[in-house]
């Protein structure tokens, strides 16, 4: 096995130092990219890339955040999260979930950003295939009260007709 490369900030009783990986700014040209990548393998499993914020044992403080955002520009950059296909097995899954908690678990929100002109759409769909996958929307089960509801609502408008709600089955 080849040797490891380890970058750590020093230990402290107050606050440890930051670690910053970045390319420098440019006044007239393009800036460089920052890439995190594991090596390829021809005969064995490859390593993973793990981004994890630290935890705290204090009940008065929050754990660290993980923030992934694209850059601002004439056209904003995209954020893409995708799982890879497979040579001879099922493709990998993409899972977005909030963590369980002793109190209330976190919310999961999918929405497009606000805009002065047209805001983006939000689309939930399964891919095409010999047998296409289902799209399921369900409220959670409750052990101490009413089960969770499912609400589908069209948008309001301050200058025209409100949006419509359309439910239809596919053609056979």
């Amino acid at each position: 096995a080849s040797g490891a490369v380890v970058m750590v900030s020093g230990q402290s009783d107050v606050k440890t130092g930051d670690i910053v990986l970045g390319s420098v700014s440019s006044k007239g040209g393009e800036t460089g990219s920052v890439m995190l990548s594991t090596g390829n393998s021809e005969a064995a499993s490859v390593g993973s890339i793990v981004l994890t914020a630290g935890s705290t044992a204090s009940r008065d403080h929050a754990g660290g955040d993980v923030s992934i955002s694209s850059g601002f520009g004439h056209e904003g950059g995209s954020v893409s999260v995708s799982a890879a296909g497979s040579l001879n097995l099922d493709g990998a899954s993409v899972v977005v979930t909030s963590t369980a908690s002793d109190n209330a678990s976190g919310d999961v929100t999918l929405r497009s950003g606000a805009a002065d002109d047209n805001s983006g759409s939000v689309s939930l769909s399964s891919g095409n295939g010999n047998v296409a996958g289902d799209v399921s929307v369900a409220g959670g089960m409750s052990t101490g009260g009413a089960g969770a509801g499912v609400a589908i609502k069209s948008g309001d408008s301050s200058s025209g007709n409100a949006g419509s709600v359309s439910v239809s089955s596919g053609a056979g």
Side-chain angles (χ1 to χ4, degrees), residues 7-98:
M7 291 187 296
V8 294
S9 61
Q11 187 174 5
S12 171
D13 293 334
V14 180
K15 181 182 179 181
T16 60
D18 298 326
I19 296 177
V20 179
L21 297 176
S23 62
V24 296
S25 300
S26 171
K27 292 184 178 180
E30 296 181 356
T31 61
S33 300
V34 176
M35 301 177 65
L36 295 177
S37 174
T38 62
N40 298 322
S41 173
E42 295 182 2
S45 297
V46 297
S48 300
I49 296 177
V50 180
L51 298 177
T52 304
S55 301
T56 177
S58 171
R59 291 198 171 268
D60 298 326
H61 298 86
D65 297 323
V66 175
S67 176
I68 300 175
S69 61
S70 62
F72 177 84
H74 173 69
E75 180 177 340
S78 299
V79 175
S80 176
V81 178
S82 62
S86 172
L87 294 176
N88 55 5
L89 297 174
D90 292 339
S93 300
V94 175
V95 179
V96 179
T97 180
S98 64

Side-chain angles (χ1 to χ4, degrees), residues 74-163:
H74 173 69
E75 180 177 340
S78 299
V79 175
S80 176
V81 178
S82 62
S86 172
L87 294 176
N88 55 5
L89 297 174
D90 292 339
S93 300
V94 175
V95 179
V96 179
T97 180
S98 64
T99 305
S101 171
D102 292 338
N103 192 11
S105 64
D107 297 326
V108 175
T109 302
L110 297 176
R111 70 177 173 211
S112 63
D116 293 335
D117 195 4
N118 297 330
S119 66
S121 300
V122 175
S123 176
L124 293 177
S125 64
S126 63
N128 298 328
N130 185 37
V131 178
D134 296 325
V135 175
S136 176
V137 178
M141 184 184 73
S142 176
T143 59
V150 174
I152 299 176
K153 180 183 181 296
S154 63
D156 301 325
S157 174
S158 60
S159 61
N161 295 328

Side-chain angles (χ1 to χ4, degrees), residues 152 164-169:
I152 299 176
S164 58
V165 175
S166 175
V167 178
S168 62
S169 62

